[in-house]
Amino acid sequence: MAQNKETPDQLYGPLFTAVQESRLFPDSKTFVDAIPKEDPHKIQYKYLALVKNGDHVDLARFVEEHFFLPQKPLSDYETTETDVEKHINRLWHVLHRKADSTAAGSSLLPLPYEYIVPGGRFREIYYWDTYFTMLGLRESGEHGIIENLVKNFAWLIDTYGHIPNGNRTYYLSRSQPPFFSLMVELLAGIKGNDVYSTYLPQLQREYAYWMDSTAATRHAVTMPDGSVLNRYWDQLELPRQEAWHEDTHLTPPGLHSREGLYRDIRSAAESGWDFSSRWFGDGRSLATIRTTTFLPVDLNCLLYHLEGTIAKALRQKGMEETARRFDAAATARRQAIIKWCWSPKAGWFTDYDLQGKRPAHAPTLAGMYPFFLGIASKEQARRALPLLQKSFLKPGGVVTTLRSTGEQWDAPNGWAPLQWVTVMGLEQYGHKALARTVAERWVRLNLRVFRQTGKLTEKYDVVNAAKPGGGGEYPTQDGFGWTNGVLLALMKKYRLK
């Protein structure tokens, strides 16, 4: 398979800028997903010739003549099912994609095996979404697709050195929360423990990417005590190609964007929380975003799991000495997370603020990851319960943050992956009744919306269950991979209907 790495802004230059700046399409992602009808360089040459001649360029007509636009989002899919489990099992087929072939100039990075897309405007695979989608695929008995998803991610690591945000050229400059080791663990639960050693090379390459071992990706930060923690850091400092207009208009007209603004926006996209007050300097405004100055608690918990998984795979290979090194790295990271990210005053795990040299003031649901992955002490779990129950628990589940900013990763929204992390974290520390309460409220909300609309959506308003989830750069999407996966997994776990 030919591997094109040129992004749409590189391929089309001034044409790309003109289309995105003109708002030819309401969604900036439309044009970057379009497929050229001929060689991209020829298209750019034709456009530049028209501009040079002083001709009026009808952009809409020019694009229509030279590009195949992406199909309408899957939000048009209308279910005939009233039973949600049957609906989800049908949706796997709607969201299914065969192994890719690629056209010259397409932004798609072709994958060698079948896969599942989230739905709506998200026409490609997404890294961390896929783990939560797998939870439902496992319940549906779709074990072959699960294995092919893991193979695709292993292939991406082998081909590009990391798993990109999604399989698009414009996502190559960043990854997403590193769930690959949890995917391998899930597959091992289906196929047996030999899976760990099978994917050891890719697990090690994934680790090298995040630890700056093979290239200076700047994800690793050495703390004053010599311990190492990690942050999100996109490799580019320019507006996102898929949100060019939004990024370039964040700064008021006539003012230059501050240095690092675009990288911080992109790095928030790498976090998966795009966008949230979690990353804002003032806690309110996207213009104050400074993602790269935080050491995210969830990222470091996931890397702890990756270190432990590598150690397990090494032992299967008989490489005990190297396995002990990774055990030691995991132990050191656990100690660093507890030292730098635990706020005794709040009784909560938060991101570490490098600028303020303290745990971040505002608690978020990312603080449940140390419980989800077994890093916290039982005493810390006991200390965290009052805040979870009093502030995060809402009628429809748990809310993402305690701030309402209009951003989608803030109140009043709840998201499927964070419900799962919270429920499983509570279960692991013996708080089974509260875990069940969170699950029941989330499932009840999902089912009510499904029965009213026939849809399972990307996010939900957990504070006012009568309102849809909203906020952010685009309308709420339906489909939806990780909602389907978590809903089905929770329904099966707690026998809910």
Side-chain angles (χ1 to χ4, degrees):
M1 268 184 280
Q3 300 307 318
N4 167 51
K5 291 188 180 182
E6 286 188 284
T7 52
D9 54 318
Q10 294 171 327
L11 283 171
Y12 302 113
L15 172 61
F16 167 85
T17 305
V19 171
Q20 297 295 60
E21 284 296 314
S22 71
R23 300 294 281 165
L24 185 59
F25 303 104
D27 187 344
S28 295
K29 195 173 180 297
T30 301
F31 183 62
V32 294
D33 292 354
I35 298 173
K37 294 180 179 179
E38 59 182 317
D39 181 270
H41 299 292
K42 288 183 179 178
I43 294 174
Q44 185 179 175
Y45 177 80
K46 289 179 181 179
Y47 175 75
L48 290 174
L50 289 171
V51 172
K52 186 177 180 180
N53 290 337
D55 296 339
H56 168 71
V57 181
D58 184 335
L59 268 180
R61 183 175 178 184
F62 186 90
V63 169
E64 184 181 354
E65 287 177 351
H66 293 92
F67 293 88
F68 297 105
L69 296 178
Q71 293 181 344
K72 291 179 69 176
L74 295 175
S75 55
D76 290 343
Y77 174 71
E78 297 292 341
T79 189
T80 58
E81 296 291 349
T82 55
D83 179 88
V84 76
E85 185 174 345
K86 290 179 180 178
H87 172 69
I88 290 171
N89 287 330
R90 279 179 176 254
L91 271 178
W92 296 141
H93 300 288
V94 174
L95 301 173
H96 178 268
R97 298 291 177 271
K98 296 179 181 178
D100 295 310
S101 57
T102 186
S106 170
S107 64
L108 192 70
L109 301 172
L111 295 175
Y113 304 99
E114 63 180 342
Y115 57 99
I116 302 289
V117 301
R121 71 198 286 268
F122 302 112
R123 308 173 184 93
E124 49 284 307
I125 204 170
Y126 282 79
Y127 182 2
W128 79 307
D129 292 57
T130 301
Y131 172 73
F132 299 97
T133 301
M134 284 179 178
L135 298 173
L137 290 168
R138 179 174 61 186
E139 298 298 338
S140 296
E142 298 283 1
H143 297 167
I145 296 179
I146 291 172
E147 183 168 14
N148 282 332
L149 288 166
V150 175
K151 285 181 177 179
N152 276 324
F153 287 127
W155 181 87
L156 285 166
I157 291 171
D158 289 340
T159 305
Y160 300 108
H162 69 288
I163 300 173
N165 185 153
N167 61 318
R168 293 280 180 184
T169 58
Y170 53 80
Y171 286 148
L172 276 171
S173 63
R174 61 179 177 268
S175 186
Q176 269 196 330
F179 271 86
F180 183 65
S181 60
L182 280 93
M183 296 178 189
V184 170
E185 182 179 69
L186 190 153
L187 183 60
I190 296 170
K191 293 199 67 183
N193 284 342
D194 287 349
V195 166
Y196 289 107
S197 56
T198 299
Y199 291 101
L200 175 59
Q202 291 81 22
L203 289 163
Q204 290 177 308
R205 289 187 195 111
E206 165 97 320
Y207 189 64
Y209 171 78
W210 285 100
M211 297 305 293
D212 303 355
S213 301
T214 52
T217 62
R218 299 192 65 181
H219 286 111
V221 176
T222 301
M223 304 301 285
D225 64 352
S227 60
V228 177
L229 290 172
N230 290 72
R231 64 181 168 185
Y232 292 109
W233 186 282
D234 191 289
Q235 302 307 298
L236 294 178
E237 165 60 301
L238 74 162
R240 292 168 295 157
Q241 292 90 343
E242 76 281 9
W244 193 270
H245 183 272
E246 290 83 352
D247 289 359
T248 55
H249 286 75
L250 186 58
T251 302
L255 294 178
H256 292 292
S257 60
R258 66 160 174 80
E259 184 179 357
L261 174 66
Y262 294 139
R263 191 186 306 279
D264 281 320
I265 290 172
R266 287 171 160 271
S267 298
E270 184 170 63
S271 80
W273 288 48
D274 45 342
F275 295 100
S276 170
S277 59
R278 177 183 181 186
W279 311 124
F280 299 167
D282 66 0
R284 298 183 302 275
S285 169
L286 179 59
T288 69
I289 192 168
R290 53 180 182 90
T291 315
T292 56
T293 67
F294 292 100
L295 302 178
V297 61
D298 45 0
L299 170 60
N300 284 285
C301 292
L302 290 166
L303 290 172
Y304 166 84
H305 187 274
L306 176 57
E307 288 160 341
T309 304
I310 292 172
K312 184 181 293 188
L314 286 164
R315 285 198 170 86
Q316 287 188 349
K317 292 279 194 180
M319 302 170 71
E320 181 62 33
E321 185 177 343
T322 312
R324 283 199 295 269
R325 289 210 303 270
F326 277 91
D327 283 336
T331 298
R333 187 181 296 275
R334 178 181 181 273
Q335 292 169 347
I337 290 169
I338 290 172
K339 177 177 180 177
W340 299 104
C341 297
W342 172 252
S343 171
K345 183 178 179 181
W348 198 258
F349 282 96
T350 71
D351 306 326
Y352 185 78
D353 183 348
L354 289 167
Q355 278 189 4
K357 298 183 179 180
R358 63 178 187 276
H361 286 312
T364 76
L365 218 49
M368 287 304 298
Y369 272 77
F371 307 106
F372 174 55
L373 294 171
I375 291 167
S377 68
K378 288 186 177 180
E379 173 60 17
Q380 285 167 328
R382 187 190 67 78
R383 289 282 313 281
L385 278 184
L387 183 62
L388 183 67
Q389 290 178 294
K390 180 181 177 182
S391 301
F392 283 98
L393 183 62
K394 302 296 181 184
V398 280
V399 70
T400 307
T401 74
L402 306 181
R403 289 173 168 166
S404 296
T405 62
E407 299 295 346
Q408 61 176 354
W409 287 87
D410 276 322
N413 286 344
W415 294 78
L418 299 180
Q419 312 301 312
W420 182 260
V421 165
T422 300
V423 167
M424 299 309 291
L426 290 168
E427 282 276 355
Q428 184 156 201
Y429 284 78
H431 301 289
K432 295 183 181 296
L434 183 55
R436 185 181 183 92
T437 296
V438 174
E440 285 177 340
R441 292 187 184 190
W442 178 254
V443 169
R444 193 163 58 234
L445 172 59
N446 283 203
L447 292 182
R448 183 160 63 247
V449 172
F450 172 71
R451 286 163 185 157
Q452 289 171 349
T453 67
K455 306 289 185 183
L456 291 171
T457 60
E458 177 191 26
K459 55 186 177 276
Y460 293 82
D461 185 330
V462 296
V463 177
N464 183 348
K467 294 174 64 178
E473 296 179 319
Y474 55 83
T476 297
Q477 304 293 299
D478 64 35
F480 195 88
W482 65 16
T483 302
N484 306 343
V486 169
L487 176 59
L488 194 53
L490 290 177
M491 288 176 68
K492 295 290 187 179
K493 179 176 177 59
Y494 293 104
R495 299 181 181 179
L496 301 172
K497 290 186 177 179

